[in-house]
Amino acid sequence: MPAQPPSKRRSIAPEARRIAILEAALATFSDKGFANARIEDIARRAGIGKGTVYLYFPDKESLFKSLISDALRPLLMAAHSALEESDMPPRETLAVFFHLLKTEILATEKRNLVQLMVMEMRNFPDIAEFYHENIITPGLALITRVLEKAERQGELRSAHVLKAPQVIFAPALLSVIWEANFTRYGDLDIDAAFDFYLDTLFKPADGDIR
């Protein structure tokens, strides 16, 4: 009798299996919420046994932390590269950051991850702390550098934003909250929201009537 080919499950490389689990986890968390999702649900959606999930992730919290890292750290690295362009004006730099938020997060399934963090992380302080330390803190440090540069160049409308750089995330968070609760009643133009925010932050260029 000829040898049977290896099963599809065994032929998948470890990294591909890990990615498949993360994709199933994001879909499951989006459907059920973090609190109600179970490892069994994730395994079923990934087409594997529950034990296989535990080979990669010891618990649901570590799986969620990996989702945060895989989904948001590339955005942070891309933003870091953009913000390191010293010859780019601060307004243009933040415009690039907003574009990355839109195309890499808000226009993809990753927006569900942000929604989960907004809605549920107050009940899971360990995950909230991980997100704050690994994504928010370095992100705010980069944004603060851009705002400080704008202030030195006399481009900011108000220096108060330097004390509350967290407000830079407001348009993206508004988009996530709006879609979660109100999109059935009307659309939010995220491009207009970002443009308005830039107009609010920065003084108009010479000759600009804004």
Side-chain angles (χ1 to χ4, degrees), residues 83 89-91 93-94 98 139-169 197-198 200-202:
L83 302 187
R91 180 186 173 113
T93 302
L94 282 186
F98 284 153
L140 284 175
L142 292 173
I143 289 171
T144 299
R145 287 169 53 191
V146 176
L147 296 174
E148 288 174 344
K149 179 180 178 181
E151 173 66 8
R152 290 195 301 269
Q153 296 177 352
E155 298 176 18
L156 282 183
R157 287 185 183 270
S158 172
H160 289 307
V161 70
L162 296 174
K163 297 182 179 180
Q166 295 91 337
V167 300
I168 298 298
F169 297 113
Y197 216 69
L198 290 171
T200 302
L201 284 170
F202 296 99

Side-chain angles (χ1 to χ4, degrees), residues 38-161:
R38 303 176 303 166
I39 292 295
E40 294 93 325
D41 302 323
I42 296 168
R44 187 180 305 111
R45 191 181 289 262
I48 58 177
K50 182 174 67 172
T52 302
V53 177
Y54 286 119
L55 291 176
Y56 291 84
F57 305 100
D59 50 42
K60 191 170 64 172
E61 287 75 14
S62 65
L63 206 166
F64 198 86
K65 288 178 181 178
S66 293
L67 267 177
I68 293 173
S69 297
D70 283 27
L72 301 182
R73 274 184 177 162
L75 171 66
L76 188 62
M77 294 174 64
H80 185 274
S81 297
L83 302 187
E84 285 297 305
E85 295 290 337
S86 58
D87 59 340
M88 185 180 293
R91 180 186 173 113
E92 184 178 341
T93 302
L94 282 186
V96 170
F97 177 70
F98 284 153
H99 177 74
L100 288 171
L101 275 176
K102 176 189 172 184
T103 58
E104 301 299 323
I105 301 297
L106 300 179
T108 74
E109 291 184 354
K110 295 174 184 177
R111 69 181 294 113
N112 295 328
L113 181 61
V114 178
Q115 181 180 326
L116 283 165
M117 288 185 287
V118 170
M119 302 298 186
E120 296 199 49
M121 286 306 97
R122 66 183 181 275
N123 298 319
F124 302 94
D126 183 57
I127 297 176
E129 182 180 9
F130 175 86
Y131 176 59
H132 186 270
E133 290 183 356
N134 290 275
I135 303 297
I136 292 180
T137 296
L140 284 175
L142 292 173
I143 289 171
T144 299
R145 287 169 53 191
V146 176
L147 296 174
E148 288 174 344
K149 179 180 178 181
E151 173 66 8
R152 290 195 301 269
Q153 296 177 352
E155 298 176 18
L156 282 183
R157 287 185 183 270
S158 172
H160 289 307
V161 70

Side-chain angles (χ1 to χ4, degrees), residues 180-193:
N181 297 284
F182 307 113
T183 191
R184 74 185 69 179
Y185 308 114
D187 295 329
L188 172 68
D189 188 331
I190 189 61
D191 289 320

